[in-house]
Amino acid sequence: MFLSVEGLSLTIDGKKLLDSISFSAEKGTITLLSGLNGAGKSLLIRSLKGLENPESGKIILSGRELTKRKERMKAFALVFQDTALGIVGSTVEKDIAFGPQNLGRSHDEVAETVDEQLAFFSLEEKRKTRPAVLSGGEKRKLAIAGVIAMQPEVILLDEPFANLDYPSTLTVIRTLIKLKETGHTIIVVSHEAEKFLAHTDMTIILEKGRIKASGRSRDMIRTLKDNNVYLPADASFEELTWLR
Ligand SMILES: Nc1ncnc2c1ncn2[C@@H]1O[C@H](COP(=O)(O)OP(=O)(O)O)[C@@H](O)[C@H]1O
Ligand SMILES: [Mg+2]
């Protein structure tokens, strides 16, 4: 298995907010992490990223246990729900360059990475644009481009469809599909399963810091509905996408 999480528990101020979370993900797949507000979804991906300090549990990537915070930081990319948190550059190209520059890559390598990402995300014409004036979908693409530029092993996205209009939502769905097709391993936190479930491989439902249910996404439609995740009645698995 590419990614294995074993028995991850997180207690803050005496409250057990994540309780013995275990799951795994194959390379090149999309995992949906769903559940109601307050279930612990953000805390779980923040823990993987190294932004929280779980008191127990293992994170194993390609057979190697990531024990140090620094290793987790490098292996996992986190695209925050609030894209403003992830955007740091004064122009689109500077923003993409920021991560690889910080990793100490050479000038030529950084330039090459920036061109690659601009092309991959169809942002070439926005190269010199200030991130603040981008559309919601473009901002989300830029936030994703910025983390991909650092070549993470797993991409974590927290509510990537939040506050996006219809065209921007389609942009993000297409981006997720393209990332998966190019071999990226992705974990998406979302309760908006009706928008993209068809493109996901595995689904995990969290409740009160525990895994309530998990399985292949195509087998999880009933379970998602039973756990108050909205899905349209009678839709088949393949129909559970906003892409037509
Ligand atoms: N730093 C913190 N200190 C104490 N409680 C927290 C902290 N962060 C989150 N929580 C609590 O943990 C629970 C899970 O939070 P979170 O992971 O943000 O939920 P979700 O992303 O599923 O909506 C919530 O009850 C939240 O109030
Ligand atoms: Mg959250």
Side-chain angles (χ1 to χ4, degrees):
M1 194 53 81
F2 180 60
L3 168 67
S4 294
V5 175
E6 295 174 10
L8 199 77
S9 292
L10 172 69
T11 302
I12 301 178
D13 297 338
K15 275 180 78 180
K16 197 154 212 172
L17 298 173
L18 293 176
D19 189 359
S20 206
I21 301 286
S22 300
F23 68 92
S24 52
E26 305 259 26
K27 194 167 166 49
T29 59
I30 302 182
T31 300
L32 166 66
L33 182 58
S34 204
L36 300 180
N37 291 337
K41 306 181 295 295
S42 294
L43 285 176
L44 175 52
I45 58 172
R46 287 173 56 84
S47 296
L48 298 179
K49 173 71 183 168
L51 295 175
E52 304 288 343
N53 289 309
E55 65 268 19
S56 59
K58 289 183 182 176
I59 300 170
I60 301 161
L61 202 54
S62 301
R64 193 169 58 92
E65 187 181 348
L66 307 182
T67 51
K68 298 196 188 74
R69 187 182 139 92
K70 212 175 137 191
E71 295 172 312
R72 297 179 183 188
M73 284 282 187
K74 185 157 185 289
F76 293 93
L78 174 52
V79 180
F80 292 97
Q81 176 169 357
D82 181 357
T83 39
L85 288 176
I87 294 177
V88 289
S90 58
T91 65
V92 165
E93 64 178 358
K94 283 183 186 164
D95 186 73
I96 298 172
F98 184 81
Q101 274 164 354
N102 271 358
L103 293 176
R105 305 261 160 80
S106 73
H107 183 275
D108 287 354
E109 279 175 312
V110 172
E112 194 181 321
T113 301
V114 168
D115 287 345
E116 264 172 30
Q117 298 310 319
L118 289 171
F120 186 89
F121 290 94
S122 306
L123 286 168
E124 291 108 324
E125 282 165 22
K126 308 280 174 171
R127 178 187 271 275
K128 306 281 183 196
T129 302
R130 278 191 306 124
V133 304
L134 296 174
S135 73
E138 287 167 344
K139 276 187 190 138
R140 192 82 56 175
K141 281 206 291 187
L142 178 58
I144 301 172
V147 301
I148 301 288
M150 294 186 275
Q151 299 176 320
E153 293 182 84
V154 181
I155 306 162
L156 312 165
L157 297 109
D158 202 348
E159 306 282 2
F161 306 110
N163 306 314
L164 290 189
D165 59 23
Y166 181 65
S168 295
T169 301
L170 297 188
T171 299
V172 173
I173 296 171
R174 290 198 184 98
T175 303
L176 292 177
I177 293 169
K178 201 166 162 191
L179 288 171
K180 173 175 153 162
E181 283 170 358
T182 48
H184 289 91
T185 308
I186 304 166
I187 299 176
V188 185
V189 167
S190 179
H191 51 264
E192 297 170 85
E194 90 280 7
K195 295 182 180 175
F196 75 116
L197 189 73
H199 309 293
T200 71
D201 299 280
M202 300 297 286
T203 291
I204 298 170
I205 300 174
L206 273 192
E207 186 184 84
K208 295 181 186 153
R210 290 167 178 258
I211 293 187
K212 173 92 181 294
S214 66
R216 293 198 321 153
S217 294
R218 62 169 60 249
D219 301 330
M220 291 289 286
I221 296 177
R222 182 77 256 162
T223 313
L224 282 163
K225 286 181 182 167
D226 288 347
N227 283 279
N228 296 308
V229 175
Y230 169 74
L231 289 173
D234 304 325
S236 68
F237 179 67
E238 283 72 21
E239 287 168 336
L240 293 171
T241 170
W242 276 16
L243 280 191
R244 287 282 184 268

